């Protein structure tokens, strides 16, 4: 345990995996390691992807990994799955959807169980993000297992929050929830080859117009995508870069990191 943190700082992926597992299991003395690691964090850009189950978040995450890798960015992925009621472990296994990146040494994918937390995120997620940060992952994507009125704590971890909606699945009602409107930096209408895309986009646009945002505030763009084909992902990439630039210029990025 004594040199585990040093191995992570040296870029040892196995050590990072072990430390994340220890964080999940609440192993004693892990906090001491994290204190040393925390002092060296703050270099990664953390992107949160949240939305209703079945919205295609994992497929979209997989396409985003490919987009970042084309730009030679190293990527860490924290996929938070619902927990098994018997073992407490993750039951969806989002890593299965991202297997094409398994041999890429600059992609580190880790599945974590939500352990029943109301926010849809494991308590260990925040510290695991720090582990990926010091490991050298330039971009860290945190994918939640679902979203609801109370399940919006991704804002506590991410610098850019992407809310994924799907037409025809009741997401028009989901979009009415104040929590989603407050945390979203980018709205994605995934599976945009389905009927109802125009209606969903119109509803979101109307809600954004009615929201009382300051004139100089960031206005969340609405990006249609088809995750299974990658359509719309370049536009999503541009939206992420635009939000990061705004967050840096406005001081929002430093505020969220703090």
């Amino acid at each position: 345990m004594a040199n585990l943190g040093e191995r992570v700082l040296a870029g040892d992926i196995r050590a990072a995996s072990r430390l994340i597992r220890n964080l999940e299991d609440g192993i004693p003395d892990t906090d001491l390691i994290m204190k040393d690691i925390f002092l060296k964090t703050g270099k990664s850009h953390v992107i949160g992807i949240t939305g209703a189950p079945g919205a295609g978040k994992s497929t979209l995450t997989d396409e985003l990994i490919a987009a970042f890798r084309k730009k030679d960015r190293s990527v860490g992925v924290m996929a938070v799955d619902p927990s098994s009621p018997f073992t407490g472990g993750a039951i969806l296994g989002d890593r299965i959807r991202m297997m094409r990146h398994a041999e890429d040494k600059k992609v580190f994918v880790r599945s974590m169980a939500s352990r029943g937390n109301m926010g849809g995120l494991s308590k260990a997620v925040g510290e695991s993000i720090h582990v990926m940060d010091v490991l050298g992952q330039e971009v860290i994507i945190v994918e939640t297992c679902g979203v609801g009125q109370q399940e919006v704590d991704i804002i506590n971890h991410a610098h850019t929050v992407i809310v994924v909606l799907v037409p025809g699945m009741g997401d028009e009602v989901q979009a009415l929830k104040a929590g989603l409107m407050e945390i979203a930096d980018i709205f994605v209408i995934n599976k945009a080859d389905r009927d109802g895309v125009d209606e969903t986009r119109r509803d979101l646009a109307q809600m954004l117009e009615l929201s009382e945002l300051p004139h100089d505030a960031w206005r969340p763009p609405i990006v249609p995508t088809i995750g299974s084909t990658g359509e719309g992902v370049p536009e999503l990439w541009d939206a992420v870069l635009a939000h990061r630039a705004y967050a840096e210029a406005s001081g929002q990025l430093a505020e969220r990191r703090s």
Side-chain angles (χ1 to χ4, degrees):
M1 289 292 291
N3 66 346
L4 189 58
E6 295 175 4
R7 288 163 53 198
V8 173
L9 291 170
D12 188 330
I13 290 181
R14 289 187 179 182
S17 295
R18 181 180 172 187
L19 181 54
I20 290 173
R21 186 181 68 242
N22 290 351
L23 288 167
E24 282 194 280
D25 295 339
I27 300 299
D29 298 330
T30 306
D31 288 346
L32 297 176
I33 297 175
M34 292 307 301
K35 284 182 180 180
D36 292 334
I37 283 179
F38 181 74
L39 297 174
K40 299 176 176 63
T41 61
K43 299 176 182 178
S44 301
H45 183 63
V46 183
I47 300 171
I49 298 184
T50 190
K57 297 187 296 296
S58 295
T59 304
L60 197 60
T61 297
D62 182 61
E63 290 295 329
L64 272 177
I65 295 171
F68 282 117
R69 290 301 298 126
K70 286 180 181 178
K71 302 294 183 179
D72 199 30
R73 305 280 184 88
S74 56
V75 184
V77 180
M78 193 70 58
V80 184
D81 290 332
S83 302
S84 165
F86 303 104
T87 67
I91 59 175
L92 288 183
D94 280 320
R95 278 186 290 184
I96 295 174
R97 298 177 180 86
M98 306 169 198
M99 284 304 293
R100 63 171 166 154
H101 306 290
E103 301 301 320
D104 190 337
K105 293 183 179 179
K106 289 194 175 182
V107 177
F108 178 30
V109 181
R110 177 79 186 193
S111 290
M112 301 183 72
S114 64
R115 303 289 174 97
N117 287 312
M118 286 298 292
L121 294 180
S122 164
K123 290 180 180 179
V125 166
E127 291 183 325
S128 298
I129 290 172
H130 295 322
V131 174
M132 288 191 172
D133 188 332
V134 299
L135 192 64
Q137 308 309 113
E138 297 170 89
V139 178
I140 300 172
I141 301 174
V142 183
E143 178 199 333
T144 74
C145 57
V147 72
Q149 189 74 11
Q150 296 176 335
E151 297 172 323
V152 293
D153 65 339
I154 185 64
I155 192 66
N156 296 323
H157 304 286
H159 307 138
T160 299
V161 177
I162 300 172
V163 173
V164 184
L165 306 174
V166 176
M169 288 184 62
D171 286 314
E172 293 82 357
V173 176
Q174 189 78 0
L176 294 174
K177 295 183 176 181
L180 277 177
M181 294 301 297
E182 291 168 2
I183 70 169
D185 297 308
I186 300 169
F187 284 107
V188 167
I189 305 175
N190 195 31
K191 304 183 182 181
D193 50 345
R194 292 184 175 184
D195 294 335
V197 174
D198 293 338
E199 290 83 353
T200 302
R201 187 168 192 165
R202 184 192 62 230
D203 291 344
L204 282 172
Q206 289 177 348
M207 291 190 66
L208 288 171
E209 288 179 6
L210 294 173
S211 61
E212 298 179 357
L213 293 172
H215 73 280
D216 58 345
W218 170 260
R219 301 279 171 171
I222 303 169
V223 183
T225 63
I226 304 176
S228 59
T229 65
E231 186 175 335
V233 173
E235 289 77 10
L236 179 55
W237 159 272
D238 290 339
V240 170
L241 293 184
H243 178 259
R244 180 184 172 90
Y246 169 84
E248 286 180 333
S250 66
Q252 185 186 85
L253 184 60
E255 180 181 342
R256 289 195 180 182
R257 278 179 171 162
S258 66

